[in-house]
Amino acid sequence: MLMSKAFTREDDETEEPVVPTLVSPLPPGAKNYMTAEGAQRLRTELADMLDEKRPALARTAATDPEAKRELAQLDQRIRYLQQSLSTAEIVPPTGTLPDQVAFGSTVTVRDTKGVTSIYRIVGVDEADFERNEVSWLSPIARALMNARLGQKVPFKFPRGATELEVVKIE
């Protein structure tokens, strides 16, 4: 007697791990701008994954379900980095001291309370809050883009609206 697969239970360890797909934060049709430094960091991360992390996980994934799940996540990150780097448009730094905020600029701003903050405007895949690097698509970057030295730019933080004065552009 044959039984339908619907009524059988497969061993959980034979199932492929389900990993949510990584999706680019770029809107459709937007260019994948990136600084040279950010592209190099992503290339280094990719090389480390391919040369070190993936081979180590692949050896244990056959017998360890957790390693198999980690390998699936790692493979997804590898594919994401490969796609990002293949579509990256490296924006070269300007050769002169800028007087206007542009992609790749490091901007020092002061709010109305005198608090100073520094932001570097970078690509979406290289943004890193801990390094004060913000995506060129972020609200703060969009507000500062094209501002000139000394200019006051209105901006609304979650805690309230303020004006940011551009005090330095590098």
Side-chain angles (χ1 to χ4, degrees):
M1 174 177 193
L2 293 174
M3 186 176 283
S4 168
K5 289 277 276 175
F7 296 105
T8 63
R9 180 184 165 126
E10 293 185 29
D11 188 4
D12 288 340
E13 291 183 21
T14 61
E15 292 181 21
E16 288 299 313
V18 177
V19 179
T21 302
L22 293 176
V23 178
S24 174
L26 284 171
K31 296 192 181 223
N32 187 14
Y33 296 120
M34 200 173 292
T35 65
E37 300 86 13
Q40 186 55 49
R41 275 199 318 268
L42 295 182
R43 282 187 209 102
T44 301
E45 179 186 353
L46 179 60
D48 180 54
M49 288 178 170
L50 291 171
D51 298 340
E52 303 292 328
K53 293 179 182 175
R54 191 177 194 299
L57 271 175
R59 285 190 290 274
T60 58
T63 59
D64 181 359
E66 180 61 25
K68 188 174 188 176
R69 187 186 61 73
E70 287 178 34
L71 181 62
Q73 289 176 327
L74 185 71
D75 284 343
Q76 185 177 65
R77 177 70 178 161
I78 288 169
R79 285 188 301 276
Y80 182 87
L81 288 175
Q82 289 170 331
Q83 176 65 27
S84 176
L85 287 167
S86 73
T87 60
E89 289 195 27
I90 308 301
V91 177
T94 60
T96 61
L97 288 175
D99 66 344
Q100 188 173 19
V101 178
F103 183 87
S105 295
T106 299
V107 187
T108 304
V109 296
R110 184 175 35 240
D111 68 15
T112 54
K113 295 179 182 174
V115 177
T116 301
S117 301
I118 299 173
Y119 303 100
R120 180 157 188 242
I121 300 173
V122 298
V124 295
D125 292 326
E126 59 183 310
D128 184 345
F129 184 74
E130 291 179 10
R131 298 167 60 112
N132 294 328
E133 295 176 335
V134 296
S135 161
W136 65 279
L137 292 175
S138 68
I140 188 79
R142 291 192 347 235
L144 293 172
M145 200 69 86
N146 298 317
R148 295 198 175 277
L149 195 59
Q151 183 176 346
K152 292 183 179 179
V153 177
F155 186 72
K156 186 174 181 178
F157 286 102
R159 65 182 182 271
T162 190
E163 261 189 347
L164 302 174
E165 180 184 1
V166 178
V167 295
K168 186 177 183 182
I169 304 171
E170 298 178 75

